[in-house]
Structure formats: structure tokens, C-alpha cells
Amino acid sequence: MTEAYDTLIIGAGMSGLAAGIRLAYYDQSVAILERHKTIGGLNSFYRAGGRDYDVGLHAVTNFTPKGAKKGPLSRLLRQLRFQWEDFALAPQQQSRIAFPGVDLAFSNDIRLLESEIARCFPHQVAAFANLRSQVLEYDDLDQAAFDISTRKVLGQIFSDPLLIEMLLCPLMWYGNARVHDMDWGQFCIMFRSIFLEGFARPIRGVRLILKHLVKKFRSLGGQLLLRHGVKEIVSEQGRAVGVILDDGREIQAKRILSSAGWVETQRMMGQTDEVVDEETGQLTFIETITTLNCQPAKLGLSDTIVFYNDSDRFDWRPPHHDLCDLRTGVVCSPNNYQYDDHEQLSDGIIRITSIANFDRWSSLSEADYRREKMVWYDRSSDSAVRFVPEFRHHAIDTDMFTPKTIRRFTWHDNGAVYGAPKKRLDGRTQLENVFICGTDQGFVGIIGAIISGISIANQYCLK
Amino acid sequence: MAPEEIREVIIEILGDIAPDEDLGSLDDAVAFREQLELDSMDFLDIVMELRKRYRVQIPEDEYVQLASMRSTVSYLTPKMSEVAK
Ligand SMILES: Cc1cc2nc3c(=O)[nH]c(=O)nc-3n(C[C@H](O)[C@H](O)[C@H](O)COP(=O)(O)OP(=O)(O)OC[C@H]3O[C@@H](n4cnc5c(N)ncnc54)[C@H](O)[C@@H]3O)c2cc1C
């Protein structure tokens, strides 16, 4: 057996790669073990039918312009020694929260949302200012305030319930692992990252970000081992000593950082499901991707992202009786960013996300699965075109993934995109040298996961 | 290394950690935190860079010594007297 690694990282998603860079940069021997044949995890990329696709990327959140010294984006660029230009982020045009009869536009400048609230909810202007200052005061590291009920806080601030639902809609869509309500800490993080900072995207999509992460990790001497699934974490007297891979090989390590999820990591440490007895995440999605023969703006769609909901109540929960719930959804057009020099994606693209039920999707027979995908492609498009222009007559290609796809390529229970409802902010486990990072530690999204990987690596593997 | 050289080293490290900061007008007597946008992650990097570049070990409970340029240089002077630039 070879010498033990200083740190083994489980998972080559955003958080694992970021943690790996930190450790390799400070001269640790570190390997990232990834079960899949490629990197990226929940935000990977693929090629199908001669076209490049991103798995997840609608928007990189937390956008701040070059030169900004505050905020997660500038912090992670500094920590990973990247230049602002490396991520080539182009800001969004404008996005929209669409409810029956009311639309609130917002952009990377909070003043637009403020003026929209003044227009549609004139009596809530002061309340919104109050919310904004409470969000700014929230201390990220305060575990006690993290899991208080957001619906309760908002109910005390606003008198108009419709505005509460409209504000919750985009923030829950982009980062809430809980059903119906949201942790106050998560709400504050998402409010800042979406309303106070903003959306952006590299023209080449998520592969550009991943390419930079991997290149840096490798150039610092880190080892990326694909098709290396971890079956078991081996421990002796409360300390991990290494892992056993799916193929039975063993690798030794002084410590382990897992981005595979809390329950998933518990299983690797030998806990049976009854012992873990922890709520797993339930919120998962289908997403349709339609390639158009023209730019979406030609069809009258120039919004970057539209978050829609077809009633006055926003119901954030997985559907029980059907494969999907189409009352709410997200429409994203990657074309609608302010790319440099008026560069543009050659094809028009429209992505539509809807809430789905993991169990129902994964218990379908192969033939039913294929048929249901077609059925729900049509239904989710039908639902979306109530809020955006019809686009299907310009479609030249379509693709779609389901909760089953997410589970197949990331091994997250239930294909849960934002992980378990209960977050583990301190990153610790019952073994003194095993830590978790990424989605279940508490920070979701691309930027959130990267920050999580950095901070857990700093806290437990460097000091 | 003499105190003046240590100061240069710190400036170099700060320049790598926070490339967008203007370090020319740094006041040595005032805390870094009050003049630069440095958070605890960046402070960890000062420590880690000193370890990486010069093998200087700084225990966690002494990180507070790195509050300002002046306190940093006087704290590091005995630790780095034998270190070659
Ligand atoms: C459809 C969709 C759309 C999204 N859109 C956006 C967006 O627009 N903007 C945004 O910011 N975020 C978005 N996200 C969320 C974002 O992708 C995730 O929050 C982030 O990528 C999570 O990174 P992570 O490192 O925590 O986890 P993961 O990416 O899940 O990384 C974990 C890795 O561990 C690997 N693994 C699991 N088990 C094992 C094992 N036993 N052995 C070895 N390896 C293992 C997995 O294969 C995976 O690669 C989206 C996600 C999805 C699914």
C-alpha cells in the first residue's frame, strides 16, 4: 500500500475541487476521488447530438463587478488565486418574478426591484427597506439564528402576503432544501446572492469554470481520480484511516473531506439507514432544454430568468400524486446575458425547470420513463408559455433530464438538488478527522459550494 | 531577515492575496482590517504563505499578533532572524 494522503476528498464537484485547490496550494498531498467518469457533480456538462449542454447552469449567483472587494465572489477568487477575468462572467440583462396579474422585474441593481415594489406594492416600500437591513445584519456564522422560520419573520415585516410569496419564489427556487418554509440563514444568503449581488454567466458555460478549477488543482500537484467511487470509510478508534473503493482497493489518508452528502457519507461510515434516521432532501426537478433556430429575444423573450407561479400562493414542495408539479417553474435563457463585444451563443436556448417527484420518476419502467419524458416536456412547456412567449415552433433540438438522471450521475439521495433540509454548518462528523463540505454543509449553488469547500478546508485541514 | 525585509515580504504576500488593494498607502500602525478588505480567510493566508515560503510556524492562538504591519513585523523579527530572503 502506498503512503497515506494528507487529505482525501470525496467528490469532484464545485466544493471538492475548491477544497482540493486550497490544500494542494499549501503543499498537502491530496487526491479527489470521483465515482463518475467526469467532473462537476450537480453542475457538470455533456455533449449530445453534436451540441454542448450544461447540466445545471442557469446563472452564477453572487455576481459583483471587477474590483469589488467584498462578497463571496471576490473572496473565492482571492482564496483560489484566480483573476476576475478567469471566470469571464457576463452580467444578466433583467429577470422577472411572474405571478397572476403582477410582475416584479429585477436586475443586478437592487434599485430596479425597489422601484417595482413601489409600483406594485406602494404600501410595502418601508417594509422592504426594513427586510433589506435585517438581511444585511444577519451574521453568516450565527448557527442560532440560522434555522428560524423565514415565513414567520416575513409575516412580521410585510402586511401584504402576495409580496411575501413573490419574494420567496426565486430565493426558494435557487437554494431551499426545506419544504414550504426556509431557514432564515439560507434566506439571507440567497437574498444577498440574488437581489443584492446578482446573476452572471460565462459565455462558454459551466465548463469554463470547471476547466479552471481542474487545471489549477492539477498544476498544484493534486490528483484527480475519476471512476474512483468510495464504498466505505475505514476507521479505527474514532478516526478515519482511509477508504475502500467500489472495486475493493484501499487508499489511506490522514483526513477525509466528503462532498457526497451527509446521509450518503454516514452510510460510508457504516451507519445503517435506521441509525442515520435523518430527513433526506426531497426537492428535485425535471429540466427541459430546447434549442431554437433563432435568438429568444426575436420571439419577445429578453428576460434572463423568469420565475413563475400561477396562483397567489407559492407552494414549495414535491408533488405527491403526480410526476411533476407545474404550477411553478423557472425559465432561463442563457442567451440573455450581456456578453462582451456583443458575442452571442449561436443557437437560442430555453431551459425550463419544474418540481418533480423522485420516487415516481425512478419507479417507471424503461419504456414508461421514455414516454413520460415526452409527455412532461410538452406539459412543462405548456405551463411556461403562460408567462413567456411561445417558442416551440422554432425548436430544432430538445433534451431533458429528470430526478433519475440527477441521482444516476451524482448519487445524491432522491436526486435532491439542494441536499438535506438540516444543514451542518460546522462540517463535523462523529469521526474526528472526517468532515463534510458542499451542499449539506450549508452552502448551495456554484458559488456557495465553492465557498463551502474553501472554508471547510481552511478550518479543518490547514490550520 | 531584517525588519525592513520582513515588511517587504508581507507586502508581497498581501499583494498576492489581495491583488486589488492599494498597498502603497498602508499605515503600519493601523490594523490591516481597518485599511484593507481582509477577512479571516485572508488572515489565514498570511500565516499559510509564511509557512509555505519561509517555513515559519505560527500557532493559531498567536494569529492576533498579525493585526497591523507594525505588530506583524515585530512579532516575526525574532522568528525570522535566521531566515534568508
Ligand atoms: C438542474 C440544476 C440546476 C442548477 N442550477 C444552478 C444555477 O443556475 N446556479 C447555481 O449556482 N447552482 C445551480 N445548481 C446547484 C449547483 O449545481 C450545486 O449546488 C453545486 O454544484 C453543488 O456542488 P457540491 O460540490 O456541493 O456537490 P456535487 O456537485 O454533488 O458534488 C459531489 C460529487 O461527489 C460525487 N460522489 C458522490 N458519491 C460519491 C462516492 N461514494 N465516491 C466518489 N464520489 C462520489 C458525485 O458524483 C459528485 O460529483 C443547479 C443544480 C441542478 C441539479
Side-chain angles (χ1 to χ4, degrees), chain A residues 113-249:
Chain A
L113 180 59
E114 284 170 344
S115 70
E116 289 281 281
I117 289 173
R119 180 175 64 83
C120 304
F121 298 93
H123 302 299
Q124 301 291 295
V125 170
F128 186 70
N130 175 9
L131 171 64
R132 190 179 157 183
S133 60
Q134 291 202 27
V135 165
L136 285 173
E137 274 163 31
Y138 173 77
D139 174 2
D140 279 349
L141 302 172
D142 182 357
Q143 173 88 60
F146 187 84
D147 51 12
I148 60 180
S149 157
T150 295
R151 284 190 174 274
K152 211 163 148 193
V153 177
L154 297 183
Q156 285 158 359
I157 297 177
F158 294 102
S159 59
D160 192 328
L162 178 60
L163 180 55
I164 296 179
E165 303 295 315
M166 291 187 80
L167 291 172
L168 285 174
C169 176
L171 305 191
M172 286 201 181
W173 259 111
Y174 273 6
N176 185 23
R178 244 181 228 299
V179 167
H180 183 62
D181 206 345
M182 188 168 187
D183 288 334
W184 173 242
Q186 199 68 40
F187 177 86
C188 291
I189 292 170
M190 296 311 299
F191 188 101
R192 289 182 207 154
S193 68
I194 293 176
F195 292 144
L196 298 179
E197 293 163 353
F199 294 148
R201 184 183 186 278
I203 193 161
R204 290 183 51 214
V206 81
R207 67 196 68 213
L208 177 85
I209 295 174
L210 286 167
K211 190 195 86 183
H212 278 297
L213 293 173
V214 165
K215 217 168 105 185
K216 177 137 288 181
F217 176 64
R218 286 207 166 116
S219 73
L220 294 166
Q223 273 181 284
L224 174 63
L225 303 171
L226 300 173
R227 296 191 183 85
H228 279 61
V230 174
K231 189 165 67 189
E232 196 181 320
I233 292 174
V234 189
S235 63
E236 284 168 13
Q237 287 143 11
R239 281 185 67 82
V241 292
V243 300
I244 300 177
L245 300 178
D246 292 338
D247 65 10
R249 275 181 296 161

Side-chain angles (χ1 to χ4, degrees), chain A residues 391-458:
Chain A
F391 56 87
R392 280 170 283 185
H393 47 292
H394 289 275
I396 50 176
D397 203 354
T398 62
D399 194 34
M400 176 169 176
F401 62 83
T402 73
K404 194 174 162 178
T405 328
I406 298 174
R407 160 76 225 226
R408 173 154 26 110
F409 292 120
T410 69
W411 294 274
H412 285 297
D413 280 17
N414 301 329
V417 171
Y418 300 130
K422 181 172 174 198
K423 298 304 179 193
R424 309 274 164 173
L425 296 191
D426 77 354
R428 288 180 174 279
T429 69
Q430 62 272 34
L431 298 182
E432 61 179 37
N433 58 344
V434 177
F435 308 97
I436 64 155
C437 66
T439 309
D440 280 354
Q441 186 257 324
F443 296 105
V444 301
I446 296 168
I447 301 292
I450 293 176
I451 290 283
S452 168
I454 293 172
S455 52
I456 296 296
N458 284 353

Side-chain angles (χ1 to χ4, degrees), chain A residues 46 53-58 173-174 284-292 296 299 301 304-309 324-334 348-356 361 373 375-392 395 397-403 406:
Chain A
Y46 57 96
Y53 290 96
D54 283 339
V55 172
L57 182 67
H58 288 183
W173 259 111
Y174 273 6
T284 186
F285 312 133
I286 59 162
E287 180 144 310
T288 68
I289 304 158
T290 306
T291 307
L292 308 174
L299 308 177
L301 178 63
T304 308
I305 298 168
V306 178
F307 300 88
Y308 67 83
N309 188 65
C324 297
D325 180 347
L326 304 176
R327 293 174 299 163
T328 180
V330 181
V331 182
C332 166
S333 171
I349 298 172
I350 290 186
R351 311 180 65 112
I352 301 173
T353 321
S354 312
I355 307 180
W361 277 102
K373 271 176 78 168
V375 169
W376 288 92
Y377 172 86
D378 285 332
R379 289 187 185 165
S380 71
S381 307
D382 285 343
S383 174
V385 297
R386 296 175 298 165
F387 299 90
V388 300
E390 178 59 73
F391 56 87
R392 280 170 283 185
D397 203 354
T398 62
D399 194 34
M400 176 169 176
F401 62 83
T402 73
I406 298 174

Side-chain angles (χ1 to χ4, degrees), chain A residues 22 25 75 78-79 81, chain B residues 17 39 42 45 49 52:
Chain A
R22 288 292 294 170
Y25 181 81
R75 183 189 291 167
R78 290 207 303 270
Q79 285 275 302
R81 308 289 190 271
Chain B
I17 297 173
D39 55 25
D42 300 315
D45 274 23
E49 290 290 342
K52 182 177 161 110

Side-chain angles (χ1 to χ4, degrees), chain A residues 22 24-27 66-70 75 78-79 81 83 220 451 454-455 458-459 462-463, chain B residues 16-22 37-39 41-42 44-46 48-49 51-53 55 60 63:
Chain A
R22 288 292 294 170
Y25 181 81
Y26 286 117
D27 305 324
K66 182 175 161 67
K69 291 171 188 167
K70 280 208 168 97
R75 183 189 291 167
R78 290 207 303 270
Q79 285 275 302
R81 308 289 190 271
Q83 307 288 316
L220 294 166
I451 290 283
I454 293 172
S455 52
N458 284 353
Q459 206 172 332
L462 285 179
K463 274 186 187 166
Chain B
D16 290 345
I17 297 173
D20 290 326
E21 294 282 359
D22 170 22
E37 287 295 342
L38 294 186
D39 55 25
M41 285 186 175
D42 300 315
L44 174 66
D45 274 23
I46 302 178
M48 294 302 301
E49 290 290 342
R51 189 196 297 179
K52 182 177 161 110
R53 296 179 193 195
R55 309 270 149 225
E60 206 180 326
Y63 288 6

